[in-house]
Amino acid sequence: MDAIWGLNFLRRRRRQREREQNIAINRARLRGLRDSSDPFAVDEVVFKGIYRLSKDMVRGLVAELRPHMAVARRSTAIPIELKVLCALHFYGQGSYQKSTGSDSNLGLCQSSVSNAIEEVTEALNTNDILTKWIHFPLQREERSRVIRKNYLATQIPGTIGYVDGTHVAIKAPKEQEHLFLNRKSYHSINVMIVSGYLVT
């Protein structure tokens, strides 16, 4: 019996070492891919298709978020530019993190993708960023100007803002799964988007 236990232990230990080696090889491959790639080198149309913003807008966003994000201390740390692009890819896909992790321009593993999305989302939600970019007109003159601008753009009278929603796919939760099943039979969270002006 002790011999069988010993053989099983050795097999488990060998499989664990193989998994650890595979993880190390994959991390090194992704780091090499990340270090050698330049997401900004792709064509502007392709770039906008992946990240939903132009290269100049992304550079501006990176500059604006930089003071609100952690400063990299290690040589192997993920640059802020890649974290922002990773989050934008995820936001634009409205789906699981797996497709973002497979973006060959970024070279990030799933846990790095998750951490990057969390960090960028927290930076976007700082008070400085929110109050600069998100506000509704409070003064009568400002409201009149926005209503006029919206009317000229859409021919819809009396409109200050627009509201839209989308379903962001999630993994099925373990508790109360039925509450997250949408009409298209996949699990999602319904997200509401409010815009004060029309983006063209």
Side-chain angles (χ1 to χ4, degrees):
M1 198 65 161
D2 287 338
I4 294 173
W5 182 87
L7 283 173
N8 286 336
F9 174 78
L10 288 175
R11 284 186 188 128
R12 281 195 308 271
R13 185 73 183 115
R14 187 180 320 125
R15 282 195 299 265
Q16 182 180 356
R17 275 197 308 269
E18 287 172 0
R19 275 196 305 269
E20 289 170 358
Q21 287 172 344
N22 288 337
I23 289 170
I25 290 168
N26 194 37
R27 282 186 180 155
R29 184 185 64 78
L30 287 173
R31 189 176 302 121
L33 180 63
R34 183 178 75 222
D35 293 343
S36 65
S37 72
D38 180 11
F40 289 96
V42 301
D43 180 70
E44 182 75 33
V45 174
V46 173
F47 189 90
K48 278 179 115 172
I50 297 171
Y51 305 112
R52 303 296 198 258
L53 295 175
S54 70
K55 293 177 187 179
D56 288 339
M57 290 177 79
V58 170
R59 287 186 182 105
L61 179 62
V62 168
E64 191 147 356
L65 294 180
R66 190 176 299 281
H68 303 285
M69 295 180 69
V71 177
R73 304 225 185 274
R74 298 179 314 193
S75 62
T76 59
I78 300 167
I80 290 176
E81 291 81 2
L82 290 186
K83 290 180 183 179
V84 171
L85 288 171
C86 172
L88 289 174
H89 185 161
F90 176 73
Y91 301 151
Q93 295 297 317
S95 187
Y96 298 114
Q97 297 171 8
K98 189 172 183 180
S99 70
T100 305
S102 65
D103 182 348
S104 61
N105 293 312
L106 302 178
L108 301 176
C109 65
Q110 194 278 326
S111 61
S112 296
V113 168
S114 180
N115 292 336
I117 293 168
E118 183 177 355
E119 188 177 349
V120 171
T121 302
E122 286 179 9
L124 286 169
N125 283 302
T126 58
N127 202 34
D128 293 345
I129 302 292
L130 287 178
T131 55
K132 179 177 180 180
W133 295 104
I134 301 174
H135 66 278
F136 259 59
L138 300 176
Q139 304 298 322
R140 176 176 281 198
E141 302 81 35
E142 191 180 5
R143 282 196 303 267
S144 296
R145 184 178 52 77
V146 170
I147 288 170
R148 188 170 20 85
K149 181 180 174 184
N150 285 334
Y151 179 75
L152 292 173
T154 65
Q155 304 302 306
I156 302 173
T159 305
I160 291 179
Y162 306 90
V163 178
D164 194 5
T166 187
H167 284 269
V168 177
I170 61 170
K171 288 184 179 178
K174 292 181 178 160
E175 295 180 14
Q176 298 184 332
E177 174 193 359
H178 65 283
L179 295 178
F180 296 90
L181 195 63
N182 66 28
R183 64 184 173 83
K184 294 186 177 179
S185 298
Y186 68 90
H187 296 88
S188 66
I189 295 177
N190 195 357
V191 179
M192 192 63 72
I193 301 164
V194 179
S195 174
Y197 58 92
L198 181 65
V199 179
T200 57

